[in-house]
Amino acid sequence: MTLSPRFTLTAGALAVLCLAAIIHILVVLTIPQNVQHSAYDDARTYGPDRQFNLLPDVKPGEEALPGLDPAMKHAICRFQLSAGPVFFDAGIPASFWSIGVFNQAGETVYSLNNRTAGADRLSMLLITSEQLSILRQNPPANLEDLIVIETEPISGIALLRAYVSHPTQAETIENAMSIASCDVLG
């Protein structure tokens, strides 16, 4: 029995498509293991953990982290919840500020801005369920005033952003971001 050339060509094309699909799937699945570094790793180069560290101004091709807005000032804080809850506190004199909390893989854990917070001051606590139950046994006086974000025990980064509406505001906003708190609740 002989196969027609048309059948052989169709079977060959189908085999090539299946092989291409398998290779594509394997490449997509191995991308996370092949990434050399993450924003969490990069944040270490800007200063110590559990402290907001100012990032350099965004310039084309020289971004400290991908996707930063050149109209904003940025500060980053690395943290590990295994070392205790993280208290974020900042008074940013800008018409718009926001904070994004990301886990070590770069996935968003929580995001907040001055409009959704309903306040000009950032006052937020990132805490695990276990840490919260311990904290409730002897709560600080200002616990009701804090935005409390309960999450799993993670290592991650917090990215604080503030809109600079005019260049004359830049220094004031930088000063406010440099004294912003990203430390143990105290």
Side-chain angles (χ1 to χ4, degrees):
M1 175 174 172
T2 59
L3 298 175
S4 73
R6 185 176 185 184
F7 176 77
T8 306
L9 185 60
T10 304
L14 188 58
V16 168
L17 284 174
C18 287
L19 183 60
I22 290 170
I23 291 171
H24 176 74
I25 290 169
L26 289 174
V27 167
V28 168
L29 291 176
T30 60
I31 285 174
Q33 290 87 12
N34 293 324
V35 172
Q36 297 296 322
H37 54 84
S38 66
Y40 179 79
D41 296 328
D42 290 347
R44 179 180 312 154
T45 63
Y46 296 102
D49 289 0
R50 290 215 175 218
Q51 170 182 319
F52 276 112
N53 301 291
L54 288 172
L55 296 179
D57 288 341
V58 178
K59 295 177 183 153
E62 298 177 16
E63 296 90 357
L65 299 172
L68 297 181
D69 187 339
M72 302 261 209
K73 291 288 183 183
H74 303 87
I76 195 164
C77 173
R78 265 175 48 119
F79 63 86
Q80 301 78 27
L81 282 180
S82 61
V86 182
F87 174 59
F88 301 101
D89 184 56
I92 308 294
S95 60
F96 177 81
W97 59 258
S98 69
I99 186 169
V101 177
F102 305 89
N103 65 17
Q104 198 168 353
E107 301 164 332
T108 304
V109 173
Y110 191 77
S111 183
L112 175 77
N113 64 50
N114 59 325
R115 294 172 185 156
T116 57
D120 289 333
R121 183 163 199 87
L122 167 65
S123 194
M124 183 173 86
L125 182 65
L126 188 66
I127 192 166
T128 66
S129 299
E130 285 181 25
Q131 293 165 344
L132 184 58
S133 63
I134 292 168
L135 185 70
R136 284 189 175 144
Q137 293 173 4
N138 190 16
N142 66 339
L143 186 61
E144 285 85 32
D145 300 330
L146 300 176
I147 297 169
V148 178
I149 311 304
E150 195 174 338
T151 186
E152 60 191 46
I154 60 168
S155 294
I157 59 172
L159 181 63
L160 184 60
R161 302 167 282 243
Y163 176 64
V164 180
S165 60
H166 193 272
T168 57
Q169 283 187 303
E171 187 177 339
T172 305
I173 290 172
E174 279 184 6
N175 290 338
M177 291 178 103
S178 67
I179 61 170
S181 174
C182 170
D183 204 355
V184 178
L185 180 65

